[in-house]
Amino acid sequence: MSIAHLDYETTSESDIMSVGGYRYSVDPSTRILMFAIAEDDGDPVLWTFDDPYSEESMLAETMLERVISEGHLLYCHNYAFELAISHHRLRTDVGTSATPRHENYRCIPQCKGR
């Protein structure tokens, strides 16, 4: 089983520092601007909201959907935030039908649970 690395960049009218990651992720104004995903030691691939049908964006979307669907581990800088965004914004903003599962998300070792 491969592992993947995932990072979202988002925007919102909500202040994540005031409301926390979960409430931020469910705020109707929150949007995914871009995400980067890489498998194992491969180069990252970038999906962007302003060009979602580019070759690279389509590759990133397909890779993320496959990684989630197949249950691969997803390492993130803040897994709780990435999981909340995946759960609440991925289908709407990116269009993927993959259902994220909590047990597949991990913090990278340097984050120490933050």
Side-chain angles (χ1 to χ4, degrees), residues 11-80:
T11 186
S12 183
E13 294 172 8
S14 182
D15 177 18
I16 194 169
M17 298 303 285
S18 298
V19 302
Y22 180 83
R23 285 186 48 205
Y24 176 91
S25 74
V26 299
D27 188 285
S29 69
T30 300
R31 298 285 180 267
I32 297 172
L33 295 176
M34 63 185 69
F35 70 81
I37 185 166
E39 279 193 274
D40 296 317
D41 292 327
D43 291 331
V45 182
L46 185 67
W47 179 93
T48 60
F49 84 99
D50 59 346
D51 199 4
Y53 301 109
S54 72
E55 187 175 329
E56 185 172 15
S57 286
M58 297 294 288
L59 178 60
E61 180 181 341
T62 300
M63 185 184 300
L64 181 57
E65 185 165 307
R66 182 180 49 74
V67 164
I68 290 172
S69 296
E70 293 177 0
H72 297 272
L73 295 179
L74 282 161
Y75 281 84
C76 312
H77 285 280
N78 182 342
Y79 86 96

